[in-house]
Amino acid sequence: MTHLNHPGEPVPDWHVTAFPGPLPGTGDPALLDTVRELRARILFDHGRRPAFRRADGTHTDDQALDFGAWHFIARRSPAGPPLGYIRLSTPDTGVPYQSREFLGDERYEELLAAEGLPEDTVFEHSRLVVEHRARKLGLGLYLNALAIGAAHHLGARAMIGTSGTKDGQDRFHERFGFRPVPGTRRYVPQYTEDVVILLHRVADGAGQHRDLVTRLRGEFPVIAASRPAEPAAAARTRRPAPVTLTGSPAPDHGVWRPVLHTADAALDALLASGEVREVHDTIDEQLTELVRSREPACRDEAEIDRRKQDQLGGVPSWAYGTWAWYPWSGRLVHVLPREEFRLVRTDRNRGRIERPEQRRLLAKRIGVIGLSVGNSAALTCALEGIGGAFRLADFDAFGLSNLNRLRAGVHDLGVNKAVLSARQLFEVDPYLDVEIQPAGLDPDTIGDFFRGGLDLLVEECDTPWVKIAAREHARDLGIPVVMDCNDRGMLDVERFDTEPDRPLLHGLLGDVKSVDLLELEPRARVELILAMVDAGRISPELAASFGELGRTLSSWPQLASGVALGGALCAEAARRILLGLPCASGRFYTDLGEQLHPARDVYAGGVR
């Protein structure tokens, strides 16, 4: 099997190592294991050829043909990761070629006899594989030319091989002087495409790439002589870096919006691009849930299947609904159309939030400033269906010290918190409307955050100027504000929608203006925050920490349990406000320390 490269592009210099595979039971298998994993992973191609991945997720392409064959591995630099590979089998290999197994002994021998070619003069090159990022650099062209040049140097009169056809690999080889053998093309399930036998006579030349093949024919002895010379014992004491990781391109930390596809040419192009790492298609199960959500009493499997077919309306299941492409994870996910998706996703809300209320909530836009506790609040709102549109702002990047309280993973380190939160929201509901301001807010941009309107603001930042400026805008625009303090379960509610003259932060700061807070000394900042949270009501642990900031503590102490509670409190208040349920302005405490005190045990003294 081969992978197509783009012809006509310049071929850069590559660092190539070549080695003959050891015979079974001899030599060190480490290099052979490396090339087998490399081949299998590239051939697997993000699920295009499932046969090359084991059930445990590892990749496999173990072939007896590897023993005794020449193996060529290409890198951009001597210490770089392997980017491409090709194998050259000679008559001395002693194992039947792939093309012989493909055709069968009798037909293979008849073909060579018809061509007047003794078997001991025919070589086979196979398993040309190239990492996606190296294909446009002409590595496939270079490796193919090198294998052909090596065969010429070693005395081949002809070369034979199998080639895929789906991506034009056969035409790629034709430019090197190979020709398809009539009547040999057939579908091979392992490769999920048609495969054809190709034949090349050395005397006929190497086609368009004759000069490159001739050059590499002369270089082959030098390449072969410089093959890896590390002692086998030393190699066994060292575990090489996985070829799947070393040198991989850095992820794009700024991508946060999924791309929604229908079953069209754009989806086909995406699948063919090699960018899709995983395909998740549970549309049949989703349709079952849709039927049961609409008709909870329907339990007859045949009736459920009939209703599923009615829902499809004659459309193939793979073409129904939406394919959501998440570029940051490489996942392509098949989901129901928007209304059906949301009906099923929020079905378990019923009894607490009924369908008419769900529709009202999904029509709301929520702003979130500060995405630590704010991340928890935004995700909880999205999970409950509180808000169909979100506007997020945070300048900070997700760091290792955030992993004590934010629902994310080590693969998210370095990602801006607004980007990270947007990704998480879209992974809950790809149909959401999300906007972000990853540079945070300042006097020049805060107006943009409120432009277009918000129905509710969750304010969770640490910057005094932003806290006051956001409330000034919210009060002017009649937007209610909720805030969790992440201490003692403190929740602030400011109903500027019903109290347009209400003092900011319940008047705790007097008639303070945001313009007065743009440049604060550290001590003044701490004093202001203490006044905001009411120093007499904070927990002893938080009170003690203020004097240690910058000395023994790097920042405010926060715990995951507090952040999770804060997200729940903000979401509960948001839902009540947006549905017109009782939720007055004020400061409220849900102190878990008090709630779990033995005196609050409702069964103290025995169950009654």
Side-chain angles (χ1 to χ4, degrees), residues 359-375:
R359 288 191 287 271
R360 286 171 59 190
L361 290 172
L362 283 169
K364 304 299 184 181
R365 183 180 300 276
I366 297 174
V368 186
I369 302 174
L371 290 157
S372 288
V373 173
N375 172 274

Side-chain angles (χ1 to χ4, degrees), residues 30-57:
L31 274 175
L32 204 55
D33 291 342
T34 298
V35 299
R36 284 172 162 178
E37 195 280 340
L38 174 70
R39 284 186 333 219
R41 180 173 47 77
I42 297 176
L43 286 166
F44 177 70
D45 198 11
H46 307 290
R48 175 177 168 183
R49 303 182 186 94
F52 290 94
R53 187 165 73 172
R54 299 184 180 96
D56 64 2

